[in-house]
Amino acid sequence: MPIFPVPRTPCGARAKAMGGRRVVSYGRFYEDFEVGSVLDHHWGRTITQAEGQLFATWTMNASPLYFNEVYARAQGHPTTPIHPLLVMNVVFGLSVEDLSEQALAHLGYWRMRFPKPVYPGDTLLSRSEVLDKRLSDSKDDRGIVHVRTSGTNQHGDEVLSYERKILVKKRAAYPVLDKAPGSAAVASGSGKHGG
């Protein structure tokens, strides 16, 4: 299956024409998604013990599994695992630039599985496959993209998988701005997006 880079709007030469400000557009429009394509999301993210314990504390999680090392070891873990919702948020966050920078809405998540725990020091990586896409039935300026995202650790073990649908802008209806956001005019389109 083909792997595609993130489309980026060239901006260097336009900076002078826009008063020194550069406008950069990230992400894929509806037309850029191809069913069957696989997107390896960049960077990866190492999770620390402090982040895991702070997440459990900040979200008022009452399970000692995520903040009490003695308890976690008694349950068969080598140390406190990272809370699955933090894992989900990191894996999801790694996918945003590729999948939903041009999203109008997230339409739901399902089939979420956490097959293996994540521990402090693990590095999470994210990858998505485009399962399906279709035009919106109600508005012609958007379409719905269905993806499966998986998160793996540094060893290649899957630690998370889920599916989601994203309501994504069509490029023709949302032209790239030739002026910085908030400026008086938009050169490459009417600026009207039919929300």
Side-chain angles (χ1 to χ4, degrees), residues 43-59:
W43 306 119
R45 174 79 158 74
T46 303
I47 306 296
T48 67
Q49 183 175 23
E51 290 170 319
Q53 291 190 358
L54 282 172
F55 183 87
T57 301
W58 287 341
T59 57

Side-chain angles (χ1 to χ4, degrees), residues 3-188:
I3 298 175
F4 298 97
V6 178
R8 288 180 172 81
T9 302
C11 58
R14 291 198 226 161
K16 184 178 177 187
M18 293 184 287
R21 293 186 68 187
R22 293 175 17 171
V23 177
V24 181
S25 176
Y26 289 99
R28 288 176 169 74
F29 288 88
Y30 176 79
E31 297 88 344
D32 299 321
F33 289 95
E34 291 186 26
V35 174
S37 64
V38 175
L39 309 167
D40 283 309
H41 309 305
H42 65 74
W43 306 119
R45 174 79 158 74
T46 303
I47 306 296
T48 67
Q49 183 175 23
E51 290 170 319
Q53 291 190 358
L54 282 172
F55 183 87
T57 301
W58 287 341
T59 57
M60 301 296 289
N61 192 290
S63 172
L65 183 63
Y66 303 112
F67 55 80
N68 183 323
E69 192 168 333
V70 173
Y71 180 84
R73 286 185 175 162
Q75 302 304 310
H77 294 275
T79 188
T80 52
I82 301 299
H83 195 286
L85 291 181
L86 177 55
V87 172
M88 189 275 171
N89 278 280
V90 170
V91 170
F92 171 84
L94 291 169
S95 76
V96 166
E97 188 175 331
D98 286 324
L99 299 180
S100 51
E101 285 280 352
Q102 297 300 329
L104 295 165
H106 298 284
L107 303 177
Y109 305 82
W110 64 97
R111 294 193 180 107
M112 192 168 291
R113 297 182 323 105
F114 297 90
K116 205 166 182 157
V118 172
Y119 294 103
D122 282 347
T123 298
L124 298 176
L125 303 164
S126 184
R127 162 184 269 210
S128 297
E129 177 183 359
V130 180
L131 301 177
D132 194 19
K133 67 183 253 187
R134 69 172 180 82
L135 295 172
S136 168
D137 292 333
S138 60
K139 294 191 177 182
D140 62 2
D141 66 342
R142 58 197 69 186
I144 297 169
V145 179
H146 179 183
V147 299
R148 178 188 304 114
T149 298
S150 61
T152 58
N153 63 20
Q154 68 275 17
H155 306 296
D157 302 323
E158 187 174 81
V159 297
L160 166 65
S161 67
Y162 62 90
E163 293 180 26
R164 70 175 168 134
K165 289 188 180 180
I166 314 160
L167 188 64
V168 182
K169 300 172 188 172
K170 285 175 63 181
R171 178 178 280 106
Y174 293 85
V176 175
L177 302 178
D178 283 341
K179 299 280 185 184
S183 35
V186 177
S188 67

